[in-house]
mmCIF file of all heavy atoms in Angstrom:
data_model
loop_
_atom_site.group_PDB
_atom_site.id
_atom_site.type_symbol
_atom_site.label_atom_id
_atom_site.label_comp_id
_atom_site.label_asym_id
_atom_site.label_seq_id
_atom_site.Cartn_x
_atom_site.Cartn_y
_atom_site.Cartn_z
ATOM 1 N N GLU A 147 -10.715 47.923 24.382
ATOM 2 C CA GLU A 147 -12.061 48.046 24.941
ATOM 3 C C GLU A 147 -13.100 47.380 24.041
ATOM 4 O O GLU A 147 -12.964 47.412 22.808
ATOM 5 C CB GLU A 147 -12.409 49.533 25.120
ATOM 6 C CG GLU A 147 -11.510 50.244 26.114
ATOM 7 C CD GLU A 147 -11.860 51.715 26.235
ATOM 8 O OE1 GLU A 147 -12.718 52.202 25.461
ATOM 9 O OE2 GLU A 147 -11.261 52.385 27.083
ATOM 10 N N PRO A 148 -14.145 46.801 24.648
ATOM 11 C CA PRO A 148 -14.269 46.536 26.092
ATOM 12 C C PRO A 148 -13.392 45.361 26.496
ATOM 13 O O PRO A 148 -13.166 44.450 25.700
ATOM 14 C CB PRO A 148 -15.751 46.202 26.249
ATOM 15 C CG PRO A 148 -16.131 45.579 24.945
ATOM 16 C CD PRO A 148 -15.327 46.296 23.897
ATOM 17 N N PHE A 149 -12.898 45.403 27.691
ATOM 18 C CA PHE A 149 -11.993 44.355 28.166
ATOM 19 C C PHE A 149 -12.666 42.987 28.052
ATOM 20 O O PHE A 149 -13.787 42.797 28.507
ATOM 21 C CB PHE A 149 -11.584 44.620 29.621
ATOM 22 C CG PHE A 149 -10.661 43.579 30.178
ATOM 23 C CD1 PHE A 149 -9.329 43.552 29.804
ATOM 24 C CD2 PHE A 149 -11.125 42.619 31.065
ATOM 25 C CE1 PHE A 149 -8.472 42.590 30.305
ATOM 26 C CE2 PHE A 149 -10.271 41.644 31.579
ATOM 27 C CZ PHE A 149 -8.939 41.625 31.189
ATOM 28 N N GLY A 150 -11.977 42.054 27.433
ATOM 29 C CA GLY A 150 -12.521 40.716 27.252
ATOM 30 C C GLY A 150 -13.340 40.553 25.991
ATOM 31 O O GLY A 150 -13.716 39.445 25.631
ATOM 32 N N GLY A 151 -13.629 41.678 25.339
ATOM 33 C CA GLY A 151 -14.337 41.612 24.058
ATOM 34 C C GLY A 151 -15.827 41.844 24.162
ATOM 35 O O GLY A 151 -16.469 41.500 25.150
ATOM 36 N N TRP A 152 -16.380 42.448 23.118
ATOM 37 C CA TRP A 152 -17.816 42.716 23.016
ATOM 38 C C TRP A 152 -18.505 41.472 22.479
ATOM 39 O O TRP A 152 -18.125 40.953 21.432
ATOM 40 C CB TRP A 152 -18.036 43.902 22.077
ATOM 41 C CG TRP A 152 -19.436 44.400 22.001
ATOM 42 C CD1 TRP A 152 -20.140 45.046 22.962
ATOM 43 C CD2 TRP A 152 -20.308 44.334 20.849
ATOM 44 N NE1 TRP A 152 -21.398 45.392 22.504
ATOM 45 C CE2 TRP A 152 -21.525 44.966 21.208
ATOM 46 C CE3 TRP A 152 -20.177 43.813 19.572
ATOM 47 C CZ2 TRP A 152 -22.593 45.091 20.323
ATOM 48 C CZ3 TRP A 152 -21.244 43.933 18.688
ATOM 49 C CH2 TRP A 152 -22.441 44.562 19.070
ATOM 50 N N LEU A 153 -19.486 40.958 23.206
ATOM 51 C CA LEU A 153 -20.113 39.681 22.867
ATOM 52 C C LEU A 153 -19.011 38.650 22.580
ATOM 53 O O LEU A 153 -18.866 38.150 21.457
ATOM 54 C CB LEU A 153 -21.038 39.837 21.652
ATOM 55 C CG LEU A 153 -22.152 40.887 21.772
ATOM 56 C CD1 LEU A 153 -22.947 40.956 20.477
ATOM 57 C CD2 LEU A 153 -23.075 40.559 22.935
ATOM 58 N N PRO A 154 -18.195 38.339 23.582
ATOM 59 C CA PRO A 154 -16.976 37.552 23.369
ATOM 60 C C PRO A 154 -17.191 36.148 22.830
ATOM 61 O O PRO A 154 -16.251 35.537 22.318
ATOM 62 C CB PRO A 154 -16.341 37.516 24.776
ATOM 63 C CG PRO A 154 -17.478 37.745 25.727
ATOM 64 C CD PRO A 154 -18.399 38.697 25.009
ATOM 65 N N GLY A 155 -18.395 35.644 22.918
ATOM 66 C CA GLY A 155 -18.667 34.327 22.352
ATOM 67 C C GLY A 155 -18.503 34.278 20.846
ATOM 68 O O GLY A 155 -18.433 33.192 20.257
ATOM 69 N N GLU A 156 -18.432 35.443 20.215
ATOM 70 C CA GLU A 156 -18.289 35.502 18.762
ATOM 71 C C GLU A 156 -16.834 35.659 18.319
ATOM 72 O O GLU A 156 -16.555 35.869 17.135
ATOM 73 C CB GLU A 156 -19.134 36.650 18.192
ATOM 74 C CG GLU A 156 -20.629 36.488 18.390
ATOM 75 C CD GLU A 156 -21.212 35.289 17.650
ATOM 76 O OE1 GLU A 156 -20.536 34.745 16.755
ATOM 77 O OE2 GLU A 156 -22.348 34.879 17.982
ATOM 78 N N ARG A 157 -15.881 35.583 19.266
ATOM 79 C CA ARG A 157 -14.472 35.656 18.897
ATOM 80 C C ARG A 157 -14.063 34.435 18.065
ATOM 81 O O ARG A 157 -14.601 33.347 18.243
ATOM 82 C CB ARG A 157 -13.594 35.734 20.153
ATOM 83 C CG ARG A 157 -13.702 37.041 20.910
ATOM 84 C CD ARG A 157 -12.839 37.052 22.150
ATOM 85 N NE ARG A 157 -13.185 35.961 23.072
ATOM 86 C CZ ARG A 157 -12.872 35.934 24.352
ATOM 87 N NH1 ARG A 157 -12.186 36.947 24.879
ATOM 88 N NH2 ARG A 157 -13.220 34.917 25.106
ATOM 89 N N LEU A 158 -13.075 34.630 17.214
ATOM 90 C CA LEU A 158 -12.539 33.553 16.395
ATOM 91 C C LEU A 158 -11.135 33.189 16.859
ATOM 92 O O LEU A 158 -10.447 33.996 17.491
ATOM 93 C CB LEU A 158 -12.483 33.966 14.923
ATOM 94 C CG LEU A 158 -13.797 34.309 14.237
ATOM 95 C CD1 LEU A 158 -13.531 34.795 12.813
ATOM 96 C CD2 LEU A 158 -14.749 33.114 14.215
ATOM 97 N N THR A 159 -10.686 31.998 16.516
ATOM 98 C CA THR A 159 -9.283 31.641 16.718
ATOM 99 C C THR A 159 -8.461 32.356 15.647
ATOM 100 O O THR A 159 -8.997 32.839 14.637
ATOM 101 C CB THR A 159 -9.062 30.134 16.593
ATOM 102 O OG1 THR A 159 -9.296 29.731 15.226
ATOM 103 C CG2 THR A 159 -9.980 29.355 17.516
ATOM 104 N N ARG A 160 -7.160 32.405 15.850
ATOM 105 C CA ARG A 160 -6.310 33.068 14.845
ATOM 106 C C ARG A 160 -6.388 32.363 13.494
ATOM 107 O O ARG A 160 -6.440 33.015 12.452
ATOM 108 C CB ARG A 160 -4.857 33.117 15.324
ATOM 109 C CG ARG A 160 -4.675 34.031 16.504
ATOM 110 C CD ARG A 160 -3.278 34.533 16.657
ATOM 111 N NE ARG A 160 -3.214 35.337 17.880
ATOM 112 C CZ ARG A 160 -2.293 36.246 18.127
ATOM 113 N NH1 ARG A 160 -1.347 36.492 17.236
ATOM 114 N NH2 ARG A 160 -2.305 36.932 19.250
ATOM 115 N N GLU A 161 -6.399 31.027 13.550
ATOM 116 C CA GLU A 161 -6.475 30.286 12.288
ATOM 117 C C GLU A 161 -7.787 30.569 11.567
ATOM 118 O O GLU A 161 -7.800 30.737 10.334
ATOM 119 C CB GLU A 161 -6.339 28.783 12.543
ATOM 120 C CG GLU A 161 -4.951 28.341 12.970
ATOM 121 C CD GLU A 161 -4.734 28.398 14.467
ATOM 122 O OE1 GLU A 161 -5.565 29.021 15.175
ATOM 123 O OE2 GLU A 161 -3.732 27.831 14.940
ATOM 124 N N GLU A 162 -8.891 30.642 12.309
ATOM 125 C CA GLU A 162 -10.194 30.906 11.682
ATOM 126 C C GLU A 162 -10.231 32.297 11.054
ATOM 127 O O GLU A 162 -10.720 32.471 9.927
ATOM 128 C CB GLU A 162 -11.305 30.770 12.722
ATOM 129 C CG GLU A 162 -11.575 29.334 13.172
ATOM 130 C CD GLU A 162 -12.463 29.266 14.405
ATOM 131 O OE1 GLU A 162 -12.619 30.292 15.117
ATOM 132 O OE2 GLU A 162 -13.008 28.177 14.681
ATOM 133 N N ALA A 163 -9.728 33.281 11.784
ATOM 134 C CA ALA A 163 -9.729 34.650 11.266
ATOM 135 C C ALA A 163 -8.814 34.774 10.053
ATOM 136 O O ALA A 163 -9.163 35.406 9.048
ATOM 137 C CB ALA A 163 -9.293 35.624 12.360
ATOM 138 N N TRP A 164 -7.645 34.170 10.149
ATOM 139 C CA TRP A 164 -6.667 34.229 9.056
ATOM 140 C C TRP A 164 -7.204 33.521 7.812
ATOM 141 O O TRP A 164 -7.044 33.991 6.683
ATOM 142 C CB TRP A 164 -5.362 33.589 9.537
ATOM 143 C CG TRP A 164 -4.189 33.799 8.635
ATOM 144 C CD1 TRP A 164 -4.038 34.749 7.674
ATOM 145 C CD2 TRP A 164 -2.984 33.021 8.619
ATOM 146 N NE1 TRP A 164 -2.808 34.617 7.066
ATOM 147 C CE2 TRP A 164 -2.143 33.568 7.628
ATOM 148 C CE3 TRP A 164 -2.545 31.929 9.359
ATOM 149 C CZ2 TRP A 164 -0.878 33.053 7.340
ATOM 150 C CZ3 TRP A 164 -1.275 31.416 9.090
ATOM 151 C CH2 TRP A 164 -0.462 31.973 8.088
ATOM 152 N N GLN A 165 -7.864 32.398 8.017
ATOM 153 C CA GLN A 165 -8.442 31.677 6.884
ATOM 154 C C GLN A 165 -9.496 32.524 6.171
ATOM 155 O O GLN A 165 -9.560 32.542 4.935
ATOM 156 C CB GLN A 165 -9.059 30.355 7.355
ATOM 157 C CG GLN A 165 -9.617 29.514 6.207
ATOM 158 C CD GLN A 165 -10.160 28.183 6.673
ATOM 159 O OE1 GLN A 165 -10.622 28.051 7.804
ATOM 160 N NE2 GLN A 165 -10.107 27.179 5.819
ATOM 161 N N ALA A 166 -10.333 33.233 6.942
ATOM 162 C CA ALA A 166 -11.360 34.069 6.323
ATOM 163 C C ALA A 166 -10.747 35.201 5.499
ATOM 164 O O ALA A 166 -11.344 35.659 4.524
ATOM 165 C CB ALA A 166 -12.274 34.650 7.404
ATOM 166 N N TYR A 167 -9.558 35.632 5.889
ATOM 167 C CA TYR A 167 -8.873 36.735 5.226
ATOM 168 C C TYR A 167 -7.993 36.273 4.057
ATOM 169 O O TYR A 167 -7.368 37.088 3.390
ATOM 170 C CB TYR A 167 -7.984 37.469 6.226
ATOM 171 C CG TYR A 167 -8.339 38.917 6.434
ATOM 172 C CD1 TYR A 167 -8.557 39.426 7.705
ATOM 173 C CD2 TYR A 167 -8.441 39.796 5.354
ATOM 174 C CE1 TYR A 167 -8.860 40.761 7.913
ATOM 175 C CE2 TYR A 167 -8.748 41.124 5.551
ATOM 176 C CZ TYR A 167 -8.957 41.602 6.827
ATOM 177 O OH TYR A 167 -9.253 42.925 7.018
ATOM 178 N N THR A 168 -7.920 34.967 3.836
ATOM 179 C CA THR A 168 -7.080 34.434 2.765
ATOM 180 C C THR A 168 -7.865 33.422 1.931
ATOM 181 O O THR A 168 -8.472 33.784 0.921
ATOM 182 C CB THR A 168 -5.802 33.796 3.364
ATOM 183 O OG1 THR A 168 -6.170 32.892 4.432
ATOM 184 C CG2 THR A 168 -4.868 34.864 3.912
ATOM 185 N N ILE A 169 -7.886 32.181 2.382
ATOM 186 C CA ILE A 169 -8.560 31.127 1.622
ATOM 187 C C ILE A 169 -10.052 31.402 1.489
ATOM 188 O O ILE A 169 -10.649 31.213 0.425
ATOM 189 C CB ILE A 169 -8.330 29.754 2.303
ATOM 190 C CG1 ILE A 169 -6.840 29.410 2.307
ATOM 191 C CG2 ILE A 169 -9.123 28.663 1.602
ATOM 192 C CD1 ILE A 169 -6.491 28.194 3.141
ATOM 193 N N GLY A 170 -10.688 31.857 2.592
ATOM 194 C CA GLY A 170 -12.120 32.130 2.557
ATOM 195 C C GLY A 170 -12.468 33.241 1.598
ATOM 196 O O GLY A 170 -13.455 33.156 0.848
ATOM 197 N N ALA A 171 -11.667 34.296 1.598
ATOM 198 C CA ALA A 171 -11.914 35.416 0.690
ATOM 199 C C ALA A 171 -11.679 35.003 -0.760
ATOM 200 O O ALA A 171 -12.392 35.450 -1.669
ATOM 201 C CB ALA A 171 -11.025 36.596 1.063
ATOM 202 N N ALA A 172 -10.677 34.155 -0.995
ATOM 203 C CA ALA A 172 -10.437 33.648 -2.350
ATOM 204 C C ALA A 172 -11.603 32.781 -2.810
ATOM 205 O O ALA A 172 -12.092 32.908 -3.945
ATOM 206 C CB ALA A 172 -9.135 32.856 -2.383
ATOM 207 N N TYR A 173 -12.076 31.906 -1.926
ATOM 208 C CA TYR A 173 -13.213 31.032 -2.247
ATOM 209 C C TYR A 173 -14.449 31.855 -2.598
ATOM 210 O O TYR A 173 -15.204 31.511 -3.511
ATOM 211 C CB TYR A 173 -13.501 30.119 -1.061
ATOM 212 C CG TYR A 173 -14.706 29.220 -1.248
ATOM 213 C CD1 TYR A 173 -14.582 27.978 -1.852
ATOM 214 C CD2 TYR A 173 -15.973 29.620 -0.824
ATOM 215 C CE1 TYR A 173 -15.679 27.151 -2.035
ATOM 216 C CE2 TYR A 173 -17.087 28.809 -1.015
ATOM 217 C CZ TYR A 173 -16.943 27.573 -1.612
ATOM 218 O OH TYR A 173 -18.041 26.779 -1.811
ATOM 219 N N ALA A 174 -14.643 32.957 -1.891
ATOM 220 C CA ALA A 174 -15.829 33.787 -2.106
ATOM 221 C C ALA A 174 -15.893 34.358 -3.510
ATOM 222 O O ALA A 174 -16.963 34.756 -3.975
ATOM 223 C CB ALA A 174 -15.864 34.918 -1.077
ATOM 224 N N SER A 175 -14.748 34.388 -4.204
ATOM 225 C CA SER A 175 -14.711 34.921 -5.571
ATOM 226 C C SER A 175 -14.304 33.855 -6.591
ATOM 227 O O SER A 175 -13.805 34.191 -7.669
ATOM 228 C CB SER A 175 -13.740 36.101 -5.648
ATOM 229 O OG SER A 175 -14.211 37.199 -4.917
ATOM 230 N N PHE A 176 -14.493 32.585 -6.254
ATOM 231 C CA PHE A 176 -14.129 31.482 -7.152
ATOM 232 C C PHE A 176 -12.650 31.530 -7.533
ATOM 233 O O PHE A 176 -12.274 31.209 -8.670
ATOM 234 C CB PHE A 176 -14.978 31.517 -8.438
ATOM 235 C CG PHE A 176 -16.420 31.133 -8.256
ATOM 236 C CD1 PHE A 176 -17.382 32.107 -8.004
ATOM 237 C CD2 PHE A 176 -16.823 29.813 -8.343
ATOM 238 C CE1 PHE A 176 -18.723 31.764 -7.851
ATOM 239 C CE2 PHE A 176 -18.160 29.458 -8.193
ATOM 240 C CZ PHE A 176 -19.110 30.441 -7.946
ATOM 241 N N ALA A 177 -11.807 31.951 -6.615
ATOM 242 C CA ALA A 177 -10.381 32.103 -6.930
ATOM 243 C C ALA A 177 -9.497 31.219 -6.065
ATOM 244 O O ALA A 177 -8.279 31.390 -6.043
ATOM 245 C CB ALA A 177 -9.969 33.565 -6.773
ATOM 246 N N GLU A 178 -10.083 30.266 -5.344
ATOM 247 C CA GLU A 178 -9.299 29.452 -4.418
ATOM 248 C C GLU A 178 -8.330 28.516 -5.137
ATOM 249 O O GLU A 178 -7.429 27.957 -4.510
ATOM 250 C CB GLU A 178 -10.225 28.640 -3.502
ATOM 251 C CG GLU A 178 -10.931 27.466 -4.141
ATOM 252 C CD GLU A 178 -12.202 27.819 -4.898
ATOM 253 O OE1 GLU A 178 -12.447 29.020 -5.130
ATOM 254 O OE2 GLU A 178 -12.949 26.893 -5.254
ATOM 255 N N ASP A 179 -8.486 28.350 -6.459
ATOM 256 C CA ASP A 179 -7.561 27.492 -7.205
ATOM 257 C C ASP A 179 -6.253 28.198 -7.537
ATOM 258 O O ASP A 179 -5.305 27.560 -7.988
ATOM 259 C CB ASP A 179 -8.219 27.008 -8.494
ATOM 260 C CG ASP A 179 -8.583 28.154 -9.435
ATOM 261 O OD1 ASP A 179 -8.851 29.272 -8.940
ATOM 262 O OD2 ASP A 179 -8.610 27.941 -10.658
ATOM 263 N N ARG A 180 -6.194 29.523 -7.299
ATOM 264 C CA ARG A 180 -4.974 30.242 -7.689
ATOM 265 C C ARG A 180 -4.397 31.167 -6.626
ATOM 266 O O ARG A 180 -3.228 31.548 -6.718
ATOM 267 C CB ARG A 180 -5.216 31.024 -8.986
ATOM 268 C CG ARG A 180 -6.285 32.090 -8.936
ATOM 269 C CD ARG A 180 -6.714 32.468 -10.363
ATOM 270 N NE ARG A 180 -7.441 31.379 -10.971
ATOM 271 C CZ ARG A 180 -7.474 31.126 -12.293
ATOM 272 N NH1 ARG A 180 -6.813 31.905 -13.123
ATOM 273 N NH2 ARG A 180 -8.149 30.101 -12.762
ATOM 274 N N ILE A 181 -5.163 31.563 -5.623
ATOM 275 C CA ILE A 181 -4.650 32.461 -4.582
ATOM 276 C C ILE A 181 -5.202 32.039 -3.223
ATOM 277 O O ILE A 181 -6.062 31.173 -3.132
ATOM 278 C CB ILE A 181 -5.035 33.942 -4.851
ATOM 279 C CG1 ILE A 181 -6.559 34.085 -4.944
ATOM 280 C CG2 ILE A 181 -4.354 34.476 -6.091
ATOM 281 C CD1 ILE A 181 -7.043 35.526 -5.010
ATOM 282 N N GLY A 182 -4.692 32.666 -2.149
ATOM 283 C CA GLY A 182 -5.235 32.449 -0.807
ATOM 284 C C GLY A 182 -4.347 31.647 0.108
ATOM 285 O O GLY A 182 -4.453 31.756 1.326
ATOM 286 N N SER A 183 -3.479 30.807 -0.465
ATOM 287 C CA SER A 183 -2.542 30.040 0.353
ATOM 288 C C SER A 183 -1.300 29.754 -0.473
ATOM 289 O O SER A 183 -1.315 29.871 -1.707
ATOM 290 C CB SER A 183 -3.178 28.728 0.831
ATOM 291 O OG SER A 183 -3.470 27.886 -0.276
ATOM 292 N N LEU A 184 -0.225 29.392 0.199
ATOM 293 C CA LEU A 184 1.021 29.060 -0.484
ATOM 294 C C LEU A 184 1.116 27.552 -0.603
ATOM 295 O O LEU A 184 1.802 26.878 0.158
ATOM 296 C CB LEU A 184 2.208 29.649 0.276
ATOM 297 C CG LEU A 184 2.218 31.185 0.336
ATOM 298 C CD1 LEU A 184 3.302 31.688 1.267
ATOM 299 C CD2 LEU A 184 2.366 31.787 -1.057
ATOM 300 N N THR A 185 0.355 27.025 -1.547
ATOM 301 C CA THR A 185 0.349 25.590 -1.808
ATOM 302 C C THR A 185 0.639 25.358 -3.283
ATOM 303 O O THR A 185 0.491 26.255 -4.115
ATOM 304 C CB THR A 185 -0.996 24.960 -1.412
ATOM 305 O OG1 THR A 185 -2.074 25.734 -1.986
ATOM 306 C CG2 THR A 185 -1.181 24.962 0.090
ATOM 307 N N LYS A 186 1.077 24.184 -3.608
ATOM 308 C CA LYS A 186 1.545 23.865 -4.952
ATOM 309 C C LYS A 186 0.528 24.263 -6.017
ATOM 310 O O LYS A 186 -0.646 23.926 -5.929
ATOM 311 C CB LYS A 186 1.855 22.375 -5.062
ATOM 312 C CG LYS A 186 2.465 21.985 -6.405
ATOM 313 C CD LYS A 186 2.828 20.512 -6.448
ATOM 314 C CE LYS A 186 3.422 20.147 -7.812
ATOM 315 N NZ LYS A 186 3.796 18.708 -7.865
ATOM 316 N N GLY A 187 1.016 24.984 -7.013
ATOM 317 C CA GLY A 187 0.188 25.382 -8.142
ATOM 318 C C GLY A 187 -0.461 26.738 -8.003
ATOM 319 O O GLY A 187 -0.942 27.303 -8.993
ATOM 320 N N LYS A 188 -0.493 27.287 -6.792
ATOM 321 C CA LYS A 188 -1.099 28.608 -6.606
ATOM 322 C C LYS A 188 -0.058 29.709 -6.797
ATOM 323 O O LYS A 188 1.159 29.476 -6.711
ATOM 324 C CB LYS A 188 -1.727 28.718 -5.213
ATOM 325 C CG LYS A 188 -2.939 27.814 -5.018
ATOM 326 C CD LYS A 188 -3.636 28.117 -3.708
ATOM 327 C CE LYS A 188 -4.818 27.186 -3.484
ATOM 328 N NZ LYS A 188 -5.544 27.509 -2.230
ATOM 329 N N ARG A 189 -0.537 30.906 -7.046
ATOM 330 C CA ARG A 189 0.345 32.041 -7.263
ATOM 331 C C ARG A 189 1.160 32.340 -5.998
ATOM 332 O O ARG A 189 0.621 32.309 -4.891
ATOM 333 C CB ARG A 189 -0.457 33.273 -7.657
ATOM 334 C CG ARG A 189 -1.106 33.179 -9.037
ATOM 335 C CD ARG A 189 -0.078 33.253 -10.132
ATOM 336 N NE ARG A 189 -0.692 33.318 -11.460
ATOM 337 C CZ ARG A 189 0.006 33.454 -12.585
ATOM 338 N NH1 ARG A 189 1.328 33.535 -12.531
ATOM 339 N NH2 ARG A 189 -0.611 33.519 -13.750
ATOM 340 N N ALA A 190 2.427 32.639 -6.203
ATOM 341 C CA ALA A 190 3.318 32.925 -5.071
ATOM 342 C C ALA A 190 3.183 34.387 -4.663
ATOM 343 O O ALA A 190 4.053 35.217 -4.917
ATOM 344 C CB ALA A 190 4.758 32.596 -5.447
ATOM 345 N N ASP A 191 2.057 34.693 -4.046
ATOM 346 C CA ASP A 191 1.783 36.029 -3.506
ATOM 347 C C ASP A 191 2.046 35.965 -2.008
ATOM 348 O O ASP A 191 1.336 35.247 -1.287
ATOM 349 C CB ASP A 191 0.327 36.437 -3.756
ATOM 350 C CG ASP A 191 -0.040 36.509 -5.229
ATOM 351 O OD1 ASP A 191 0.871 36.422 -6.072
ATOM 352 O OD2 ASP A 191 -1.241 36.644 -5.532
ATOM 353 N N PHE A 192 3.052 36.693 -1.522
ATOM 354 C CA PHE A 192 3.396 36.564 -0.117
ATOM 355 C C PHE A 192 3.991 37.843 0.446
ATOM 356 O O PHE A 192 4.330 38.784 -0.298
ATOM 357 C CB PHE A 192 4.355 35.393 0.099
ATOM 358 C CG PHE A 192 5.676 35.500 -0.614
ATOM 359 C CD1 PHE A 192 6.764 36.139 -0.037
ATOM 360 C CD2 PHE A 192 5.837 34.945 -1.884
ATOM 361 C CE1 PHE A 192 7.982 36.229 -0.690
ATOM 362 C CE2 PHE A 192 7.057 35.028 -2.546
ATOM 363 C CZ PHE A 192 8.133 35.675 -1.951
#
């Protein structure tokens, strides 16, 4: 509820939401060089 979403124009794609919960959150704390994604050189947190 509500069906179709509340103010549905503000919905995000899965990639956008997931990015905010990983890379975006890491960036917000100056930590994007070590966490937030599984890319070369970053911590293997999975």
Side-chain angles (χ1 to χ4, degrees):
E147 297 178 354
F149 180 75
W152 187 69
L153 303 178
E156 296 296 345
R157 290 179 302 199
L158 299 176
T159 67
R160 292 203 184 201
E161 290 88 346
E162 289 168 343
W164 191 19
Q165 183 177 29
Y167 241 127
T168 50
I169 297 171
Y173 177 88
S175 293
F176 289 92
E178 73 277 12
D179 62 331
R180 61 198 70 209
I181 58 172
S183 64
L184 296 172
T185 50
K186 185 177 179 179
K188 293 189 182 182
R189 292 289 187 177
D191 299 350
F192 61 88

